Amino acid sequence: MIRVLFFASLREQLDCAELQVNPGECGTLAELREQLSGRGESWRRALADPSLQAALNREVASGEATLNSGDEVAFFPPVTGG
Amino acid sequence: MIRVLFFASLREQLDCAELQVNPGECGTLAELREQLSGRGESWRRALADPSLQAALNREVASGEATLNSGDEVAFFPPVTGG
Amino acid sequence: MSVSVSVQEQAFDVGAEYAGLRNGNWADGATAMFVGSVRDFNLDSAVSCMELEHYPGMTERVLQDIAEKAQRRWALGRVRVVHRVGRLGAGDDIVFVGTCAPHRQAALEACAFVMDFLKTRAPFWKKEKGPDGERWVEARQSDSDALEKW
Amino acid sequence: MSVSVSVQEQAFDVGAEYAGLRNGNWADGATAMFVGSVRDFNLDSAVSCMELEHYPGMTERVLQDIAEKAQRRWALGRVRVVHRVGRLGAGDDIVFVGTCAPHRQAALEACAFVMDFLKTRAPFWKKEKGPDGERWVEARQSDSDALEKW
């Protein structure tokens, strides 16, 4: 399975902090994002935000990154710490 | 009278921290410096150093600055604090 | 050369952090520090408190990477980064960055560098709470622009 | 906007200086600090202690002027400068510069600015003492060059 995390305003919009997906259902980060967009209107709208960032195994990753079982994926808005 | 101060390595070279001069004997800072150079070989040598800086009444001043009774003049090497 | 990173709920003590950077460190004559604190207003609306969320595990790694990048770029001794998470009140300290080096320019530039990358790369998110309700702080273009000088 | 300058023999406490910059100051979210310390070697010869001479009266005025110049150039809140004089040992702190501002770039740049001018304008002179005897520290061209960026 692949663990998928959502943070901050994105987490609130989706009302979801974490879910598991089957790696067979998505080959790349972009495909996972598209698949998640199909979960409903709030998902489609939230994940369409071009400023969203993604991380694969805790490193920033682009849409082409390939996913494997055991991976940890995260989606989040631009960071605002410091 | 004009109070003249010397600091750091210059003070040691001259073996003099402070002296008083008569304002009648010097019109400008450059003239005072020349007059002081006449006090002996160590004075001539030390005051010939082009890196020496001068202050008039606690502000950096150039050779053309005019001196008056009650003024405080200082000569010192380049600063090395911090 | 050492890097130390902490992500923590509890407050940090600037005097103690400074002592940690200096303790037994006689080779570095220069220490630069930056502390970011919660302001009592932001973009004209009063802020009474703030909630800081982060991505545990990724945050520490990113901060470590930024500090190591600074160490490769400048001749640095110790680098220390502390960032708080959880609930913070107006005036509370959020972040501490300290850098030691033999020379002041290296220490000061590295400190600014770490802050600039932390602001745009480290996965922290601020939610401000005030009399007008709560809202997520928006990322600022000026923070992304600040990276251009590096 | 306030400037505070001290020239003193006694050691300063970085934690206390930081507290002074922050106390009741909720408008400035950014504090930058620099501390310069005596290194245990300088230009390859061991330094066991140092004597710091200054020009009483002029020193305080110059430091005040530098801090005020920084305040005119950046949007700063408080500025604090502390410089020690007299006898210092290896590892001892010499100088503290702290700047507060609403934004980090202003605080960090102003801190660097104050240090660069302090190094080349404030009438302090260091004499190092080590096993090889004593000698006056020579001014460095790199310190004068550092002013060019301002």
Side-chain angles (χ1 to χ4, degrees):
Chain A
M1 296 300 279
I2 292 170
R3 192 178 176 209
V4 188
L5 308 174
F6 306 97
F7 289 98
S9 56
L10 179 62
R11 174 175 46 71
E12 290 188 352
Q13 286 162 45
L14 302 178
D15 195 20
C16 176
E18 177 172 351
L19 53 76
Q20 304 271 340
V21 297
N22 193 316
E25 297 165 13
C26 51
T28 67
L29 206 48
E31 285 164 16
L32 170 61
R33 186 164 168 171
E34 200 169 315
Q35 184 204 315
L36 293 169
S37 296
R39 292 173 75 96
E41 177 56 19
S42 64
W43 290 76
R44 193 193 59 69
R45 206 158 356 99
L47 290 170
D49 182 347
S51 76
L52 280 190
Q53 294 173 11
L56 172 57
N57 297 326
R58 304 179 176 182
E59 287 192 45
V60 167
S62 67
E64 305 92 67
T66 312
L67 304 183
N68 294 297
S69 189
D71 280 347
E72 179 177 295
V73 170
F75 293 100
F76 45 80
V79 304
T80 58
Chain B
M1 297 299 278
I2 293 171
R3 192 179 176 210
V4 188
L5 308 174
F6 307 97
F7 289 97
S9 56
L10 179 63
R11 174 176 46 69
E12 291 188 350
Q13 287 162 44
L14 302 177
D15 195 21
C16 176
E18 178 173 351
L19 52 76
Q20 304 269 341
V21 297
N22 193 317
E25 298 164 15
C26 51
T28 65
L29 206 48
E31 286 164 15
L32 170 61
R33 187 165 169 169
E34 198 169 317
Q35 184 203 316
L36 292 169
S37 297
R39 291 173 76 96
E41 178 56 17
S42 64
W43 290 76
R44 193 193 58 72
R45 206 157 359 97
L47 291 169
D49 182 347
S51 76
L52 280 190
Q53 295 173 10
L56 173 57
N57 297 326
R58 305 180 175 182
E59 287 192 47
V60 168
S62 66
E64 305 91 69
T66 311
L67 304 182
N68 295 296
S69 190
D71 280 346
E72 179 177 296
V73 171
F75 293 99
F76 46 80
V79 305
T80 57
Chain C
M1 301 249 302
S2 76
V3 167
S4 167
V5 164
S6 295
V7 179
Q8 61 189 46
E9 292 204 6
Q10 68 267 32
F12 53 81
D13 176 326
V14 169
E17 294 299 340
Y18 177 68
L21 286 165
R22 296 306 316 166
N23 183 27
N25 179 5
W26 293 351
D28 293 322
T31 304
M33 290 170 281
F34 178 85
V35 183
S37 314
V38 182
R39 288 199 280 166
D40 58 354
F41 61 91
N42 196 4
L43 301 172
D44 295 331
S45 83
V47 172
S48 48
C49 75
M50 183 173 274
E51 191 79 32
L52 250 152
E53 179 174 334
H54 78 123
Y55 180 175
M58 180 166 172
T59 318
E60 295 80 354
R61 169 189 284 206
V62 170
L63 295 177
Q64 182 81 24
D65 284 352
I66 294 169
E68 289 174 3
K69 200 185 289 190
Q71 282 197 322
R72 283 192 297 275
R73 181 153 170 173
W74 289 277
L76 298 182
R78 301 177 192 173
V79 179
R80 171 76 169 147
V81 182
V82 187
H83 203 295
R84 292 180 67 193
V85 292
R87 198 178 187 83
L88 298 175
D92 282 358
D93 294 336
I94 306 171
V95 60
F96 175 91
V97 172
T99 51
C100 291
H103 298 294
R104 73 182 183 285
Q105 283 92 352
L108 284 160
E109 287 184 20
C111 188
F113 174 95
V114 170
M115 275 307 302
D116 281 349
F117 278 85
L118 184 155
K119 279 285 214 185
T120 49
R121 298 279 197 267
F124 294 103
W125 301 274
K126 282 179 189 148
K127 187 189 235 178
E128 291 177 344
K129 304 178 181 190
D132 310 335
E134 56 178 53
R135 56 160 187 188
W136 291 96
V137 173
E138 301 229 344
R140 296 191 316 177
Q141 185 60 39
S142 61
D143 285 327
S144 304
D145 295 346
L147 293 188
E148 282 169 22
K149 71 168 166 294
W150 307 117
Chain D
M1 301 248 302
S2 77
V3 167
S4 167
V5 165
S6 294
V7 179
Q8 60 189 45
E9 292 204 8
Q10 68 268 32
F12 53 82
D13 177 327
V14 169
E17 294 299 340
Y18 177 68
L21 286 164
R22 297 303 318 165
N23 183 29
N25 179 5
W26 293 351
D28 293 323
T31 304
M33 290 170 280
F34 178 85
V35 183
S37 314
V38 182
R39 288 201 279 167
D40 58 353
F41 61 90
N42 197 3
L43 300 173
D44 296 330
S45 83
V47 173
S48 48
C49 76
M50 182 175 274
E51 192 79 31
L52 249 152
E53 179 173 336
H54 79 123
Y55 180 176
M58 180 167 172
T59 318
E60 294 82 354
R61 167 188 286 208
V62 171
L63 295 178
Q64 182 82 24
D65 284 351
I66 294 170
E68 288 174 3
K69 198 183 291 189
Q71 281 198 321
R72 284 192 298 275
R73 181 153 170 171
W74 288 277
L76 299 182
R78 301 178 191 173
V79 179
R80 171 76 169 146
V81 182
V82 187
H83 202 295
R84 294 180 66 193
V85 292
R87 197 177 189 81
L88 298 176
D92 282 359
D93 294 337
I94 305 171
V95 60
F96 175 92
V97 172
T99 51
C100 292
H103 298 293
R104 73 181 183 286
Q105 283 91 352
L108 283 161
E109 286 183 21
C111 187
F113 174 95
V114 170
M115 274 307 302
D116 282 349
F117 278 86
L118 183 155
K119 279 286 216 183
T120 49
R121 299 278 197 265
F124 294 103
W125 301 274
K126 283 180 188 148
K127 187 188 234 179
E128 292 176 343
K129 302 178 183 191
D132 309 337
E134 55 178 55
R135 54 156 190 194
W136 291 95
V137 173
E138 301 228 343
R140 295 193 314 176
Q141 184 60 38
S142 61
D143 285 327
S144 304
D145 295 346
L147 293 188
E148 281 169 23
K149 71 168 166 295
W150 307 117

